Amino acid sequence: MVESDSTEQDSRGKAHGPMNEWEVENTIFSDEEEKRVLFATLDSFFSWRQNALSQLHSTRQNFYALPQAHWQRLAEPPFNVLEHLENVEHAIETNSVIAHRVLSTGLTAFGFPYDLLLRTGSPSRASSSSTNDSTNPFEASPIHWRGTASPQDISKADTMLKQLFRDWSREGKLERDAQYAPVLSSLNTYVPIPSSEDQRRVLIPGSGLGRLVLDTACQGYEAEGCEFSYHALLTSSLILNHTTRTNEYSLYPWVRSFSNNISRKSQMQKVTVPDVWPAEELRRARSQGRLGSMSMNAGDFCEVYMREEYKNTFDAALTVFFIDTAPNIFRYIEAIRNCLKPNGVWINLGPLLWHFECGPPKPSKPGNAGRGIAEGGSVELTDEEILELIKQSGFDIAEHKVRDGPDEMVGYLQDPASMLQRVYKNSHWVARKSKT
């Protein structure tokens, strides 16, 4: 359930990984809207540090605005509020290293200059002088991406840091196990690895930061992820293509949240990512005879997988916290039916937090029919209605369960120590495409 911009369009290329860079389609820079979304994403990672420090500055100002006797009392032990704010600032600087690396590797992938970032070591110290300053490679570039991020774009960059906690930290395993393990168990049951060298192809739409793609490949499947969000694509590329070891980066996932903390310690929880090195995990799996592979496709899932070239090509599709991102669930069903082989299985787990609920009407534009998330209109169905629609669309429901047990309900990007715990009763089902 990675946040995505509803205006992003078109297929952007495919990368086989880990340790191989994206192949970028030229259409990105000929499509003004596509270019705008990419530039805003790059700038959101550039601006993340300053945005976080500005928020912290406001927190300090509000603290000092208290009556002097009150803030001075809270500045002393055992409260030490000012010392805690210094620790928060240090944690923000630590997190900004990741944001900077996502930016620098993203700039490289798209052929933008990043010399200044490498020389200064921090985007905050990169000059923001006028566009006429030829000493600044960002401003001298004919492609101006600086200053394009909205607050929503920066919020998405912040979400990516939390997503790293979920997908790529040891501490995020509790969430991953509740979401990925049941799906992989169903995959092993309904699409077992054959004893021959024939591989089973598995599609994972909405693959986010790529952990489920890696885990599926390491079990011996030919796993292909598809992701629409540039924020997720750039962040996953850092982990899959540019890490050199486990625990390479330190991360404070909850440092910007001052609410619902039982103690300051929970706000300052530190983790390291990645908990596994993707390249080494694949090598280890292959050495043990699990000859899986992984690749990532960048683009609108419906547009890409409705193409004739993908017809009847996958043995399984795994959707985890994904189907509620559909404005029109018909398009998701059609795309999955198109790309699954006859008798192929669709395995789903997730809630129905419809992303376009109560949004302003988005009429269809000429030429946008079938363009997936760019198409106009939206509808919100119940779990029962979705299953009925899937059956009417040429699938048989092989298994269905709402996971509502105390050990089955799970949050999403949830701080396990927070006083606020939002959990989902996830719908877990397996649908098999009819042979006709």
Side-chain angles (χ1 to χ4, degrees):
M1 192 184 284
V2 171
E3 298 177 51
S4 60
D5 190 317
S6 62
T7 59
E8 292 180 47
Q9 300 177 9
D10 210 351
S11 174
R12 303 170 187 141
K14 190 171 183 179
H16 296 270
M19 305 313 291
N20 287 286
E21 196 50 87
W22 297 98
E23 301 168 13
V24 182
E25 292 193 2
N26 293 330
T27 54
I28 291 175
F29 299 112
S30 62
D31 185 323
E32 286 301 315
E33 183 60 21
E34 184 80 8
K35 186 166 66 174
R36 182 196 68 78
V37 175
L38 171 61
F39 286 7
T41 303
L42 293 169
D43 189 48
S44 71
F45 287 106
F46 182 90
S47 303
W48 182 88
R49 175 183 179 274
Q50 189 56 52
N51 178 269
L53 291 177
S54 295
Q55 182 191 59
L56 181 61
H57 178 66
S58 296
T59 301
R60 282 196 175 104
Q61 285 184 313
N62 287 330
F63 180 71
Y64 282 124
L66 292 171
Q68 184 175 13
H70 294 172
W71 73 254
Q72 286 182 339
R73 183 173 175 182
L74 292 175
E76 299 296 326
F79 307 104
N80 299 315
V81 170
L82 290 177
E83 180 181 340
H84 174 66
L85 295 181
E86 289 294 326
N87 292 335
V88 169
E89 182 171 347
H90 171 76
I92 288 172
E93 296 288 359
T94 299
N95 286 358
S96 72
V97 172
I98 298 178
H100 174 211
R101 282 291 290 152
V102 172
L103 171 62
S104 63
T105 55
L107 288 171
T108 301
F110 289 98
F112 295 170
Y114 68 100
D115 314 50
L116 191 61
L117 281 181
L118 293 181
R119 288 204 303 271
T120 62
S122 170
S124 66
R125 290 186 287 275
S127 170
S128 58
S129 56
S130 75
T131 56
N132 294 324
D133 181 2
S134 62
T135 65
N136 186 334
F138 292 127
E139 306 297 355
S141 170
I143 303 175
H144 302 298
W145 56 271
R146 289 283 303 282
T148 57
S150 68
Q152 182 185 23
D153 295 316
I154 298 172
S155 176
K156 291 177 183 179
D158 195 62
T159 297
M160 289 302 102
L161 297 179
K162 297 183 179 72
Q163 194 90 22
L164 284 171
F165 166 85
R166 172 183 181 259
D167 266 14
W168 294 104
S169 77
R170 178 177 57 83
E171 292 79 0
K173 188 175 186 297
L174 182 65
E175 236 182 67
R176 291 197 303 274
D177 284 351
Q179 296 170 18
Y180 297 164
V183 169
L184 291 173
S185 176
S186 294
L187 179 64
N188 296 155
T189 298
Y190 288 91
V191 189
I193 298 290
S195 56
S196 65
E197 293 186 0
D198 293 338
Q199 284 193 306
R200 294 290 182 258
R201 294 191 68 188
V202 179
L203 174 64
I204 305 171
S207 52
L209 301 194
R211 183 57 180 263
L212 182 57
V213 182
L214 175 69
D215 290 351
T216 303
C218 286
Q219 292 202 8
Y221 296 93
E222 185 178 326
E224 179 170 315
C226 178
E227 181 51 55
F228 182 68
S229 162
Y230 274 126
H231 283 85
L233 289 168
L234 296 183
T235 307
S236 65
S237 181
L238 171 65
I239 299 297
L240 295 173
N241 300 320
H242 299 285
T243 51
T244 59
R245 54 185 169 82
T246 60
N247 305 315
E248 189 165 343
Y249 298 101
S250 296
L251 171 67
Y252 295 85
W254 323 116
V255 70
R256 297 186 68 178
S257 178
F258 287 84
S259 298
N260 290 306
N261 292 312
I262 292 177
S263 70
R264 298 295 185 191
K265 181 180 178 181
S266 60
Q267 183 184 4
M268 295 300 298
Q269 181 187 19
K270 177 182 176 181
V271 302
T272 56
V273 296
D275 62 321
V276 297
W277 183 28
E280 181 59 35
E281 284 297 293
L282 277 177
R283 282 196 290 266
R284 181 180 298 112
R286 288 167 183 161
S287 70
Q288 296 171 353
R290 299 191 299 274
L291 304 178
S293 64
M294 67 178 292
S295 62
M296 292 282 284
N297 219 333
D300 185 314
F301 162 67
C302 297
E303 280 195 72
V304 174
Y305 292 96
M306 278 301 293
R307 295 174 182 169
E308 186 66 24
E309 66 191 272
Y310 285 106
K311 190 175 182 64
N312 299 331
T313 56
F314 289 93
D315 298 282
L318 312 182
T319 53
V320 178
F321 277 65
F322 175 70
I323 64 172
D324 53 5
T325 65
N328 180 359
I329 190 64
F330 277 92
R331 295 303 187 197
Y332 280 19
I333 296 172
E334 290 165 356
I336 289 177
R337 177 163 175 77
N338 180 69
C339 67
L340 279 181
K341 296 176 182 178
N343 216 37
V345 298
W346 176 4
I347 303 169
N348 176 77
L349 186 144
L352 293 175
L353 181 64
W354 293 106
H355 283 35
F356 292 85
E357 181 181 2
C358 299
K362 186 177 67 171
S364 291
K365 297 179 181 179
N368 267 3
R371 291 204 66 183
I373 205 166
E375 191 177 40
S378 64
V379 65
E380 296 77 41
L381 299 183
T382 67
D383 189 47
E384 292 176 345
E385 290 168 339
I386 287 174
L387 290 169
E388 178 59 33
L389 185 58
I390 289 172
K391 286 190 286 186
Q392 292 183 14
S393 302
F395 289 87
D396 297 317
I397 305 301
E399 181 181 335
H400 174 233
K401 176 185 179 182
V402 175
R403 300 181 65 83
D404 56 1
D407 296 329
E408 295 176 325
M409 293 187 293
V410 65
Y412 188 83
L413 308 185
Q414 179 73 58
D415 174 5
S418 173
M419 298 169 71
L420 174 63
Q421 295 292 320
R422 184 182 187 182
V423 297
Y424 295 100
K425 298 178 180 180
N426 291 312
S427 181
H428 178 200
W429 43 260
V430 179
R432 189 180 294 279
K433 177 180 172 180
S434 60
K435 294 183 180 180
T436 58

